[in-house]
Amino acid sequence: MKTAYAFLNATIFRHHFTSWMFALFASLTLIWGGVGNDVEQQLGNMRANMLEKPASGELVIVEIDAKSLQALDRWPWPRKYYAQAIDSLNDAGVSQIAFDVDFSSRSVPAQDQIFADAIARSQATVVLPTMRQRASGTQSKFIESLPIEKLRANAFLASVNVHPDHRGQLNQYSFGTTTNGIARPSLASMIAESSGSIDKSFAIDQAIDPASIPRLSFVDLIANEGRSLDLLGKKVLIGATAIELGDRYPISRFGVVPGVVIQGMASETLIQGTNLQNLGKFPALIFSAILLAICIASRKFSSEGLIGIAFANAIILMGALFLSEYLHWFTFSNFPAFCLLGVFMAMQKFMSTSNALKTSQFINTVSKLPNDAALLQTLTGKELVYIATARLSDFRELRAITNKTSRRDLFQNLANRLNFLARGERIYQVDTDMVAWTVKREYIDDISGHFDTAVALLQSPIMTADTKIKINATFGISASSLDEAKLASEQAFVAGKKWAWHDADVDQAIGEKHDLLIELDQAIEVGNLDVVYQPKWDLSSNRLGGAEALVRWSHPVQGMISPEIFIPMLEQAGRIDQLTYHVLKQALKDLASWQEQRPGLTCAVNISAQLLSDSDFVEKAIAIVERSSVWNAQLVFEVTETATMVDPEQSALALQRIQSTGIRVSIDDYGTGQSTMSYLQRLPVSEIKLDQSFIKTLVTDKTNQVMVQSTIKMAQNLGFKVVAEGIEDQACLDLLTKYGCDIGQGWHISKPVTSDFFIAAWLDRGIEEARLSA
């Protein structure tokens, strides 16, 4: 009996020790692989949120904002304005003036001299920026970009170099930069008058609320000329916050913020002494490993007891880290220790090598993402779903500049991006150059928007180790199999398209193209195409504002055919004008029928890009509207953002003609093209319609929140109404209402409905009142 008991104890001990060894090995592997930085950053953000504090008030940011750009000369400004700013700040008694503005190139000599003279007579210390950059795109040699000589003669110089992490975020800041043996303190170090090891970095304290840093508009500063400014003894940082100037970076807690604000937060970190020493990833890990080892060696604890000790250990580590940061002692990383404790607890519950081997069959060996076998197993026994694939177009070139480790980072970061698209679904690596995911059935009616979102998610480069890589991808989709979805992405690449259905699906949907075009012409001629309406909700008045007219084709044999199929066919055949006339006439007829119950409702009709340059179409469309019984202003012509860029001059003339009749113009899919708000300001446009790729991820994506909120404010300041499409839940609607968006549209409000249903449900039965009373 004693022998059996001893054997059992020995087995349990080996079980515990094996779990400990495996957990320790896993944690060390995660440290070596750099995995967990995102989680650690999120945990840091949670602590920063709880420890949030205001700025010291010692630093004031003078903003080169939109107000200043509009009030002063065209950018770049004459340097006399910076001279005026220095004089005004000296009159106000500031102690230091730091610029986050590039002065490395000469301007008009007289202007340079005015600025140089102001620096020379300044009682306050003046700090000008330098930048370390590559000598050329093909060389590894670095040079230092300095302010022109006459400006730096009486100023201190500081480096403004910043270093984004693999996510493209600026969460670390350096004490200085060394270029060709010349050391420069960083701008934050100069402002805070704090010293540190050159080329060493510290974490920006994101518990500091950037909104609490005092700010002053540049134009107000020079207009005030130093009078009545409460700046005595303050330090001043001058830089750009205007969106148009583009100096903006994402930080983990606050999303995209102006570069000068990041410089200010780094300065405040040093001023407040919260650039805490980071003890690294090992202290918490070593403490946890030793504690577990002692408990295991004592042989006094069961598996449940060890799990309890591991859990308590995690709680203690969280409390210790929070207390240490609160008292400004030091900081350290808990994630490796959490991994040790988590893996140990899991191993105690699930010690099975066979399960580990089975799991490995479903993981890609390079990226560690689930593979095609995992996807096929997921699909087994389930109802048919749509499978989407993304093929990396230039993967052969990427293989030349990446290794196994960086390719793992590439695919994992790619999967992190696309997770916003998959809405909680897993991303699978199904080939060496391809990933896949399943698409929910409700998104199939707008698969083009789905892939537009995917393209938007891949706009910015993806980090692999210390390298940024720009990804180009083509997309495919199939309702039948993964193989067909793979082929579809290949077909899209060959055809020069962004995405494609598999040919078999297209063949089944449209049959012979020529015959289908004939049937489509007949359907338009006899009016067999259905016009449906998606309600638009006025967020400011909380009432129904109108609708958008959309077209549907129910084929007598093939059933419902997506507009994504037949509209491009009509555009390619040069027959899209007839469909547009049909939709416009029906929309005017239905709008007239709504007048008695709800006068003043608007209706939007989409205008194809190729029609915008057709003056005959424009005149005929205007004539159709003017012959109707509704006011011209009740019609909105929606044109895509890219359509205005194809032939800008012709587009501007067409839009001016439309607008002159009272018909309103809306820019659809704003944000997916290359046009700027200043460009749209030159067009006769009444409203912009934010692309749904930004709206669908609004609740979960802080970067999108910042972009959408700033776009709404800027558009409204320029006189545009803002419409947000793609609203799919109440949280998104509430957020847009909070941001001051004018109009909302999406399935959460209503799917597209027939005119009869629109009248019965929205006008007669009072869905509107039901929403108001909910």
Side-chain angles (χ1 to χ4, degrees):
M1 175 69 81
K2 288 183 179 180
T3 302
Y5 184 75
F7 176 79
L8 179 60
N9 277 345
T11 301
I12 293 174
F13 175 76
R14 285 197 301 272
H15 176 101
H16 294 334
F17 184 72
T18 301
S19 298
W20 180 84
M21 285 291 294
F22 184 85
L24 181 59
F25 175 77
S27 301
L28 293 174
T29 302
L30 290 175
I31 293 176
W32 173 77
V35 178
N37 294 333
D38 290 347
V39 176
E40 190 66 55
Q41 189 66 58
Q42 292 303 316
L43 293 174
N45 290 344
M46 292 172 59
R47 296 193 302 274
N49 190 56
M50 292 186 286
L51 295 171
E52 185 172 279
K53 54 183 174 289
S56 64
E58 294 181 26
L59 175 67
V60 176
I61 293 177
V62 172
E63 302 181 89
I64 301 176
D65 51 11
K67 173 183 175 181
S68 299
L69 291 180
Q70 290 180 0
L72 301 178
D73 295 342
R74 179 174 297 179
W75 185 265
W77 288 336
R79 288 180 175 167
K80 66 179 181 180
Y81 291 139
Y82 302 115
Q84 292 177 28
I86 289 177
D87 291 339
S88 294
L89 291 171
N90 273 277
D91 290 344
V94 304
S95 62
Q96 185 186 74
I97 305 169
F99 284 89
D100 186 17
V101 180
D102 183 16
F103 298 119
S104 61
S105 59
R106 292 179 174 85
S107 68
V108 178
Q111 293 290 328
D112 290 342
Q113 189 62 51
I114 291 172
F115 189 24
D117 292 342
I119 295 173
R121 64 175 174 267
S122 174
Q123 296 298 311
T125 302
V126 177
V127 182
L128 299 181
T130 72
M131 174 68 73
R132 178 179 185 262
Q133 56 187 343
R134 290 188 184 274
S136 72
T138 59
Q139 296 181 3
S140 58
K141 181 181 178 182
F142 287 89
I143 62 172
E144 187 177 28
S145 180
L146 299 169
I148 62 174
E149 185 174 359
K150 67 171 56 178
L151 297 184
R152 64 177 186 262
N154 293 288
F156 289 91
L157 302 182
S159 168
V160 294
N161 282 84
V162 292
H163 307 284
D165 59 21
H166 71 281
R167 301 175 297 272
Q169 296 179 349
L170 282 176
N171 299 314
Q172 297 284 325
Y173 193 93
S174 65
F175 283 101
T177 305
T178 301
T179 308
N180 299 329
I182 299 175
R184 298 285 186 199
S186 66
L187 188 62
S189 297
M190 287 288 289
I191 292 173
E193 300 177 28
S194 175
S195 60
S197 299
I198 293 292
D199 293 325
K200 296 294 183 181
S201 62
F202 59 90
I204 296 174
D205 184 2
Q206 299 196 42
I208 298 171
D209 181 8
S212 67
I213 302 176
R215 301 192 191 187
L216 176 65
S217 177
F218 189 96
V219 69
D220 292 339
L221 169 66
I222 63 175
N224 190 283
E225 298 180 347
R227 296 186 297 272
S228 304
L229 295 178
D230 184 17
L231 298 176
L232 183 63
K234 305 286 187 182
K235 300 176 179 181
V236 173
L237 174 59
I238 301 175
T241 60
I243 294 176
E244 298 94 313
L245 299 183
D247 183 23
R248 309 177 80 81
Y249 300 92
I251 58 177
S252 64
R253 186 180 173 213
F254 297 101
V256 178
V257 298
V260 68
V261 175
I262 294 178
Q263 299 281 1
M265 291 182 68
S267 302
E268 282 288 340
T269 301
L270 296 177
I271 290 171
Q272 298 192 32
T274 54
N275 54 315
L276 305 181
Q277 179 185 3
N278 192 330
L279 301 182
K281 300 179 178 180
F282 287 100
L285 176 63
I286 293 172
F287 171 80
S288 302
I290 292 175
L291 177 63
L292 288 179
I294 292 173
C295 293
I296 291 170
S298 71
R299 303 195 181 198
K300 294 182 179 180
F301 298 96
S302 65
S303 292
E304 290 74 14
L306 289 172
I307 290 174
I309 290 171
F311 183 78
N313 188 9
I315 298 298
I316 290 171
L317 288 177
M318 287 191 292
L321 179 56
F322 184 87
L323 180 63
S324 177
E325 291 184 345
Y326 175 75
L327 297 175
H328 297 177
W329 288 346
F330 50 79
T331 187
F332 54 87
S333 173
N334 268 334
F335 183 75
F338 288 163
C339 289
L340 169 77
L341 299 170
V343 172
F344 179 79
M345 288 188 285
M347 286 292 292
Q348 289 295 98
K349 284 287 185 181
F350 309 103
M351 186 63 177
S352 173
T353 55
S354 61
N355 284 344
L357 289 173
K358 182 178 178 181
T359 301
S360 68
Q361 298 173 8
F362 300 99
I363 299 294
N364 183 278
T365 56
V366 175
S367 67
K368 307 306 178 186
L369 294 175
N371 58 18
D372 51 349
L375 175 57
L376 294 175
Q377 185 188 58
T378 300
L379 298 176
T380 300
K382 293 187 177 180
E383 64 176 354
L384 183 65
V385 298
Y386 292 86
I387 303 169
T389 55
R391 176 191 180 277
L392 304 188
S393 306
D394 46 2
F395 188 73
R396 290 182 180 177
E397 297 177 10
L398 293 179
R399 295 190 70 159
I401 61 174
T402 58
N403 54 31
K404 186 175 180 180
T405 300
S406 58
R407 281 197 291 275
R408 178 200 62 201
D409 293 342
L410 172 66
F411 278 99
Q412 287 186 347
N413 289 332
L414 174 63
N416 288 338
R417 293 271 184 92
L418 294 177
N419 271 334
F420 287 104
L421 188 72
R423 291 299 185 98
E425 300 290 344
R426 302 173 74 184
I427 303 296
Y428 303 81
Q429 185 176 355
V430 295
D431 212 331
T432 55
D433 62 348
M434 193 176 296
V435 296
W437 64 94
T438 57
V439 180
K440 294 182 179 180
R441 184 174 296 276
E442 57 262 32
Y443 296 120
I444 292 303
D445 284 343
D446 186 26
I447 195 62
S448 179
H450 187 79
F451 286 127
D452 283 345
T453 302
V455 171
L457 290 171
L458 300 183
Q459 284 294 320
S460 58
I462 293 178
M463 291 296 296
T464 61
D466 296 325
T467 305
K468 289 182 179 180
I469 294 180
K470 185 71 173 70
I471 294 296
N472 293 310
T474 55
F475 304 92
I477 187 167
S478 170
S480 300
S481 70
L482 173 60
D483 289 337
E484 288 189 355
K486 289 182 177 181
L487 288 173
S489 60
E490 295 284 352
Q491 291 159 358
F493 175 75
V494 171
K497 299 179 179 178
K498 276 298 180 185
W499 69 277
W501 285 93
H502 180 253
D503 277 349
D505 293 316
V506 175
D507 291 341
Q508 183 179 358
I510 66 174
E512 292 294 332
K513 182 177 180 180
H514 179 69
D515 292 341
L516 198 62
L517 273 172
I518 293 175
E519 294 181 63
L520 187 55
D521 284 341
Q522 293 172 347
I524 294 173
E525 185 177 346
V526 300
N528 283 344
L529 287 179
D530 296 324
V531 178
V532 295
Y533 301 91
Q534 186 168 33
K536 298 169 74 173
W537 189 256
D538 190 318
L539 301 182
S540 58
S541 63
N542 210 22
R543 303 288 293 181
L544 177 67
E548 178 182 359
L550 303 168
V551 64
R552 297 291 184 264
W553 184 17
S554 181
H555 191 277
V557 176
Q558 299 183 32
M560 188 65 70
I561 298 179
S562 171
E564 303 288 347
I565 295 175
F566 67 80
I567 288 180
M569 287 174 53
L570 287 171
E571 289 179 328
Q572 292 171 10
R575 305 179 192 175
I576 191 63
D577 55 342
Q578 296 303 316
L579 175 63
T580 307
Y581 293 143
H582 168 74
V583 174
L584 181 57
K585 291 175 183 177
Q586 187 62 49
L588 289 166
K589 178 181 177 182
D590 290 332
L591 186 58
S593 71
W594 305 340
Q595 286 290 90
E596 184 176 345
Q597 291 159 285
R598 280 296 298 273
L601 289 180
T602 64
C603 186
V605 176
N606 290 282
I607 306 298
S608 172
Q610 62 182 237
L611 295 178
L612 200 59
S613 58
D614 184 344
S615 57
D616 290 339
F617 167 81
V618 172
E619 292 302 325
K620 187 171 180 179
I622 291 173
I624 291 173
V625 175
E626 292 187 333
R627 286 197 300 267
S628 70
S629 61
V630 301
W631 294 100
N632 289 12
Q634 291 179 257
L635 257 291
V636 180
F637 282 0
E638 286 193 8
V639 297
T640 61
E641 177 187 0
T642 51
T644 65
M645 304 291 288
V646 174
D647 186 349
E649 292 185 6
Q650 183 62 37
S651 297
L653 290 174
L655 296 179
Q656 286 170 1
R657 173 69 180 116
I658 293 168
Q659 190 90 318
S660 69
T661 67
I663 300 171
R664 294 156 59 189
V665 177
S666 174
I667 297 298
D668 198 7
D669 299 336
Y670 179 77
T672 60
Q674 301 299 318
S675 65
T676 62
M677 195 70 72
S678 59
Y679 169 75
L680 294 182
Q681 190 181 13
R682 297 195 295 269
L683 296 176
V685 173
S686 304
E687 67 180 31
I688 64 169
K689 196 169 186 180
L690 298 178
D691 185 67
Q692 59 185 308
S693 61
F694 300 105
I695 304 304
K696 287 184 176 180
T697 59
L698 184 63
V699 175
T700 58
D701 190 334
K702 288 188 176 180
T703 300
N704 267 4
Q705 291 175 13
V706 174
M707 292 177 63
V708 168
Q709 187 175 14
S710 61
T711 300
I712 290 172
K713 289 182 179 178
M714 183 164 56
Q716 291 174 341
N717 287 338
L718 295 176
F720 300 140
K721 278 197 170 185
V722 181
V723 180
E725 61 177 337
I727 300 172
E728 296 184 351
D729 52 52
Q730 186 62 39
C732 180
L733 183 64
D734 291 342
L735 206 53
L736 288 165
T737 303
K738 176 183 175 182
Y739 292 164
C741 184
D742 298 296
I743 304 293
Q745 182 180 351
W747 283 14
H748 178 66
I749 296 169
S750 175
K751 293 183 179 181
V753 297
T754 65
S755 178
D756 289 342
F757 187 92
F758 185 86
I759 293 173
W762 284 88
L763 303 183
D764 290 344
R765 297 184 187 172
I767 286 181
E768 182 179 38
E769 279 67 24
R771 289 182 63 87
L772 289 171
S773 61

